[in-house]
Amino acid sequence: RNTAKEYTFRSRTALAGGLAAAGVDVVSLANNHTLDYGTKALLDTIGRLDDAGVAHAGAGADREAAEAPALLISPAGTVAVLAFTEIIPGGFAATRDHPGVNATTPDRERLLAAIAAARERADFVVVSFHWGTEYTGVATREQRRLAHRAVDAGADLVLGHHPHVIQGMELYRSHLIAYSLGDFVFDHYSRITGEAFVLQVSLPKEGPPSFTAIPVYLDEDGVPAPVSGEEAHVILDSLSSLSADLGLTLSREGDRA
């Protein structure tokens, strides 16, 4: 266990199978907790995900493995998923000969080259970033700059997380960027940190995507559930306002946007 950190997380090993049973195809391991219990625990996590048939990206036995995209075969073609973290505790970054996470720094060009290489291999490229300022609904200038550069390099969809709250969505060059989806399964102690949304996206071969935001709320045990009525509209009002600030107007249909 990393005793230098204030918060360290681990989960029951059976949950790898639980992810598969819930229909999760791929996960990001690029975050600031993946090595809370050291490299042995990271490699154990990867092995258990492999055994469960859950693809993963963003961490590995060395930098090359951490950078490698997860490749998913779908009826519409190959989907490459790359994962990076901007939040990097000391010793967490993968190196040439050391396990760790796929860091966004210090070499942005290496990051962009990895996205471009995935673009050559896959029909669709999804890029996941662990980034942003905790408990802040406004994406930073650096988040936006990095997201735009990722799209310029070949990303079809950019998904963000880490702030523990919702941030807005943006269309850049007809590509969707969701700066923070909020938490999905996590304990919390305030109304705003319990608000999140599930994002359903359909990516066409050409042109802008179609997408639906489904509001969810995490109960006192951190378990998410879709919400309706006033509860849904509170979350969608926040998402709509934050997205409008980024130039994206969301339309409503019932309890979804």
Side-chain angles (χ1 to χ4, degrees):
R1 177 175 175 265
N2 189 332
T3 56
K5 294 188 67 186
E6 183 178 3
Y7 299 108
T8 52
F9 299 135
R10 66 178 178 179
S11 62
R12 288 175 290 132
T13 54
L15 291 180
L19 289 172
V24 175
D25 297 307
V26 58
V27 296
S28 164
L29 297 177
N31 63 69
N32 54 309
H33 291 287
T34 296
L35 271 80
D36 278 357
Y37 282 78
T39 56
K40 184 178 179 180
L42 167 61
L43 297 177
D44 181 70
T45 296
I46 290 171
R48 291 179 186 277
L49 290 171
D50 289 341
D51 290 344
V54 178
H56 50 83
D62 53 33
R63 185 165 67 181
E64 183 177 356
E67 289 178 340
L71 295 174
L72 308 177
I73 307 302
S74 81
T78 303
V79 182
V81 180
L82 299 97
F84 304 87
T85 181
E86 185 106 297
I87 318 299
I88 312 154
F92 268 46
T95 65
R96 188 179 303 171
D97 55 4
H98 191 269
V101 298
N102 192 19
T104 61
T105 56
D107 191 348
R108 286 279 199 265
E109 296 309 315
R110 187 180 180 96
L111 178 159
L112 298 171
I115 295 173
R119 173 81 279 160
E120 294 296 315
R121 298 176 63 186
D123 299 292
F124 304 96
V125 177
V126 178
V127 178
S128 168
F129 285 116
H130 202 70
W131 60 7
T133 305
E134 288 187 336
Y135 313 115
T136 301
V138 177
T140 66
R141 182 178 301 176
E142 184 53 34
Q143 278 176 269
R144 295 192 68 192
R145 182 169 182 269
L146 182 54
H148 293 178
R149 294 187 74 187
V151 170
D152 291 340
D156 293 301
L157 174 65
V158 175
L159 301 173
H161 33 85
H162 174 69
H164 299 292
V165 294
I166 290 171
Q167 293 183 344
M169 296 192 291
E170 177 182 24
L171 276 179
Y172 171 72
R173 292 182 51 203
S174 296
H175 292 78
L176 182 62
I177 301 164
Y179 285 101
S180 176
L181 302 172
D183 291 334
F184 186 64
V185 178
F186 204 77
D187 59 342
H188 68 99
Y189 306 99
S190 69
R191 170 73 209 182
I192 194 170
T193 53
E195 298 177 351
F197 64 99
V198 172
L199 186 62
Q200 293 181 333
V201 185
S202 295
L203 295 173
K205 291 287 188 181
E206 302 289 340
S210 58
F211 52 92
T212 301
I214 303 168
V216 299
Y217 191 77
L218 284 57
D219 69 16
E220 62 273 13
D221 295 317
V223 179
V227 290
S228 60
E230 183 59 29
E231 277 193 286
H233 290 296
V234 166
I235 297 172
L236 293 179
D237 285 348
S238 175
L239 179 61
S240 296
S241 176
L242 293 166
S243 300
D245 290 341
L246 299 172
L248 178 63
T249 302
L250 299 180
S251 59
R252 302 277 187 93
E253 186 171 325
D255 296 319
R256 301 183 175 191

